[in-house]
Amino acid sequence: MNKPKTKKLLFLFRHAPYGSALAKEGIDAVLAASAYDQDLSVLFMDDGVFQLLKHQKPDDIEEKNIINILSAFTLYDIQSLFVCQESLAERGLRNTDIAIGINIVAHNTVSQLLSQQDHILSF
Amino acid sequence: MSNILHTVNKSPFLNQTLKHCLGRIQSGDSVLLLEDGVYAALSSQPWAMLMNPSHQYYAIKADVEARGLGEDKLLSHITLIDYEQFVELSTEHSTVQSWY
Amino acid sequence: MSNLLNFQQNIPPYKAGTKSMSLTIDGKIIATDKEGYIKSLEEWSEKVAEMIAIEEKIKLTSSHWEVVLLLRQFYQEFELSPTMRSLVKYIANNLGKDKGNSIYLLKLFPPNPAKIASKIAGLPRPKNCL
């Protein structure tokens, strides 16, 4: 049986929400990719960790709340979510500041995660 | 004496604009943080000590709230303002310098 | 010359697709895109839903309504129009597996439950529907 091999795809978020369209476009890409039954992971690092903060209220800048959209990931069977511990620490953020269930991983795990992928899509 | 309103709209973590701005401000100048620039208002950010309280610092409230930055996380000498107050500030300074 | 003018007047106004670009309900015009999705979430009402359902040749029963109302809840919660997979999962979480499966939903909203039910619920066209 030659079943097409599933690919390991990592979506890497390195930018803050709202200041650019990158966060939203990346999330759209994750949701679209989830339809193809591949092995998806999502990693938030550098300013990307700001996407995970509780209490976001973008009504007055007329944007969609990133947290609401990220909360839908489990319905799309996107379970492998990671955030870089050092990036959180560098910004003075704690685990309790994060609004969604996510694996907090140290630097060496981040490197491993990056090296295991067939493709990395960076936003 | 001219006084300048400096605006910073980029995150200090991915961009040097906050540092470039802070390295050049004079007494009487003010700094306004907007869009992703509001992350510089976090008391936990590494350049916070460069933000000398003898200058006036402002941040756009809607941008702070959008990003979930609670007042307990912000530097105490930051004043939150809306866009009307931004316009007022612009008129109170002789020029506006945008760092982007 | 006058013949030419008459000729031009007989050409029906151009519309993309075959369906109209708006709905008229109780004398109020509600704008839709060319596929019949209403443009503003706030203009939705049960009457609007019924009107769109007629266009889709669906008679709304209580089974349809519980799905339509959950879809509006989905959009409020996640600010997204669902894909088929997420819709199935969301319905299963809320109404159980008897209803949260694609065959059940396909019978209610043929031929594409995520798209048709979103349209009836007044949500924007699902962007990630591949």
Side-chain angles (χ1 to χ4, degrees):
Chain A
M1 279 286 284
N2 270 339
K3 217 177 141 197
K5 184 179 170 290
T6 55
K7 298 262 184 187
K8 286 179 79 69
L9 301 182
L10 176 73
F11 290 82
L12 178 58
F13 288 92
R14 290 188 51 256
H15 289 83
Y18 316 121
S20 73
L22 279 168
K24 242 172 67 189
E25 285 170 2
I27 289 170
D28 280 346
V30 175
L31 296 178
S34 74
Y36 289 96
D37 286 321
Q38 302 295 305
D39 184 357
L40 304 188
S41 310
V42 182
L43 169 62
F44 297 85
M45 64 183 220
D46 299 334
D47 271 1
V49 303
F50 283 132
Q51 294 179 33
L52 306 172
L53 284 189
K54 285 178 185 166
H55 310 305
Q56 296 181 51
K57 201 174 153 286
D59 311 31
D60 286 349
I61 59 168
E62 293 177 13
E63 296 280 351
K64 287 186 177 184
N65 195 328
I66 290 275
I67 284 298
N68 291 352
I69 310 176
L70 290 178
S71 310
F73 273 14
T74 54
L75 290 176
Y76 290 77
D77 288 322
I78 303 156
Q79 319 274 14
S80 303
L81 305 178
F82 303 91
V83 57
C84 167
Q85 192 172 42
E86 279 81 359
S87 303
L88 286 172
E90 197 187 355
R91 287 158 184 78
L93 302 176
R94 300 198 192 91
N95 308 2
T96 51
D97 293 320
I98 298 177
I100 59 168
I102 194 163
N103 302 299
I104 301 178
V105 292
H107 194 254
N108 55 344
T109 314
V110 167
S111 308
Q112 259 176 28
L113 200 59
L114 292 171
S115 65
Q116 288 166 354
Q117 306 301 321
D118 293 309
H119 297 289
I120 297 174
L121 295 100
S122 186
F123 294 93
Chain B
M1 255 293 274
S2 72
N3 61 348
I4 302 174
L5 176 65
H6 300 267
T7 68
V8 176
N9 74 341
K10 296 285 191 296
S11 160
F13 296 94
L14 283 191
N15 198 291
Q16 302 277 311
T17 46
L18 176 72
K19 255 167 48 186
H20 293 162
C21 161
L22 294 177
R24 289 158 174 94
I25 57 176
Q26 310 273 328
S27 69
D29 288 1
S30 309
V31 178
L32 170 69
L33 307 171
L34 69 162
E35 299 167 18
D36 282 349
V38 299
Y39 291 115
L42 286 171
S43 54
S44 56
Q45 60 96 347
W47 304 275
M49 65 238 279
L50 299 177
M51 296 172 66
N52 184 339
S54 64
H55 295 104
Q56 291 289 336
Y57 292 91
Y58 303 91
I60 297 288
K61 190 163 185 255
D63 288 326
V64 169
E65 286 180 348
R67 289 160 181 78
L69 312 182
E71 297 218 16
D72 53 318
K73 288 189 181 311
L74 303 185
L75 289 164
S76 56
H77 56 278
I78 302 256
T79 310
L80 299 183
I81 62 168
D82 60 24
Y83 273 93
E84 264 173 49
Q85 292 167 295
F86 179 10
V87 174
E88 249 170 68
L89 272 182
S90 316
T91 64
E92 289 164 6
H93 291 74
S94 42
T95 52
V96 177
Q97 159 63 18
S98 308
W99 300 87
Y100 55 83
Chain C
M1 192 64 200
S2 67
N3 278 343
L4 188 61
L5 276 176
N6 282 336
F7 172 71
Q8 283 179 333
Q9 279 164 356
N10 287 335
I11 299 172
Y14 173 75
K15 282 177 189 161
T18 51
K19 286 175 190 162
S20 64
M21 311 282 276
S22 65
L23 299 165
T24 310
I25 286 157
D26 296 339
K28 195 170 167 255
I29 295 168
I30 293 172
T32 69
D33 71 6
K34 62 178 193 271
E35 290 185 52
Y37 291 86
I38 65 169
K39 289 196 169 158
S40 164
L41 213 59
E42 289 77 46
E43 289 192 303
W44 186 86
S45 65
E46 296 194 356
K47 272 197 172 162
V48 172
E50 277 163 4
M51 194 96 169
I52 298 171
I54 290 168
E55 297 248 323
E56 296 295 338
K57 301 181 177 62
I58 290 171
K59 190 176 170 355
L60 295 179
T61 65
S62 59
S63 307
H64 292 89
W65 278 113
E66 65 182 356
V67 173
V68 165
L69 294 176
L70 270 174
L71 263 171
R72 290 186 65 81
Q73 185 183 312
F74 183 104
Y75 191 83
Q76 273 178 352
E77 208 171 324
F78 306 121
E79 304 194 35
L80 285 172
S81 299
T83 57
M84 191 58 200
R85 177 195 293 233
S86 55
L87 174 63
V88 165
K89 207 155 177 181
Y90 193 70
I91 300 291
N93 289 350
N94 284 280
L95 301 176
K97 292 231 155 137
D98 288 350
K99 295 176 176 175
N101 67 72
S102 39
I103 294 167
Y104 176 81
L105 293 171
L106 204 58
K107 280 184 184 156
L108 289 179
F109 300 100
N112 183 333
K115 278 174 120 173
I116 305 296
S118 290
K119 194 188 283 189
I120 294 171
L123 310 187
R125 185 177 183 279
K127 247 203 277 184
N128 307 303
C129 218
L130 298 171

